[in-house]
Amino acid sequence: MSEPYLGEIRLFSIPYAPKGWLPCNGQQLSIQQNQALFSLLGTIYGGDGVRTFALPNLQGRAPLHPDPAHRLDQGQTGGEEAHVLTPAEMPVHRHQAYGASTAATSSSPAGSVWAKPSANDYAAAATASMSPAALATAGQSSAHGNMQPYTVITFCIAVTGLYPSRN
């Protein structure tokens, strides 16, 4: 393997960073001990710019090539590993109310559906409210997984190597 450029990011199929590399996990480094790397990264990924700067955090991320919508010099991140849908994100749909075509057999609406009146007129004798779940929202606001198919790799950044020319 040739000598890397300082700040170069490579993928490794091992669960650790090789010598001269650090994992891209957002950790903060001392500017005083990493002046050359700081001159390349600045505070794009965080840090106070006086004593510390941060490495990019590529944990659980899919890197993109920079373009006008996703600028490298702003350290933009996006996406999420889990997402809760809002009503605005769901297609228009209905939650049907169900009923039975047979006569009612109980005056309790718990766990039941609407039914035709019976000879005992259970509908008139009902003393409890229908379950709110009969027409309530569904989903319980639980997040669903939003990850792309993945394999385990380690993004690492070179902390030693050739200083890249700025031609």
Side-chain angles (χ1 to χ4, degrees):
M1 179 172 6
S2 63
E3 187 171 359
Y5 285 105
L6 184 65
E8 176 183 342
I9 295 175
R10 286 189 190 171
L11 304 171
F12 292 93
S13 60
I14 52 178
Y16 58 88
K19 184 178 180 184
W21 298 79
L22 286 175
C24 291
N25 61 6
Q27 71 180 320
Q28 298 215 356
L29 300 177
S30 164
I31 293 173
Q32 184 177 358
Q33 295 174 353
N34 300 280
Q35 292 178 6
L37 185 58
F38 173 71
S39 73
L40 296 170
L41 299 181
T43 57
I44 293 171
Y45 304 107
D48 63 15
V50 177
R51 291 185 315 269
T52 63
F53 71 103
L55 297 179
N57 186 355
L58 294 173
Q59 297 176 111
R61 301 277 187 248
L64 299 174
H65 187 277
D67 64 29
H70 304 93
R71 296 189 43 195
L72 179 64
D73 62 345
Q74 294 175 353
Q76 292 177 322
T77 61
E80 53 195 346
E81 294 178 21
H83 181 72
V84 177
L85 289 176
T86 65
E89 296 171 315
M90 290 186 247
V92 175
H93 65 286
R94 299 180 190 275
H95 289 256
Q96 295 291 339
Y98 292 98
S101 59
T102 57
T105 58
S106 170
S107 63
S108 172
S112 300
V113 297
W114 289 302
K116 293 182 355 182
S118 68
N120 296 333
D121 199 14
Y122 284 120
T127 58
S129 299
M130 172 91 48
S131 168
L135 294 174
T137 56
Q140 303 169 354
S141 298
S142 298
H144 67 276
N146 200 34
M147 297 285 289
Q148 298 180 24
Y150 58 90
T151 184
V152 179
I153 53 176
T154 305
F155 286 91
C156 295
I157 188 167
V159 293
T160 61
L162 303 172
Y163 194 88
S165 63
R166 296 184 186 236
N167 292 348

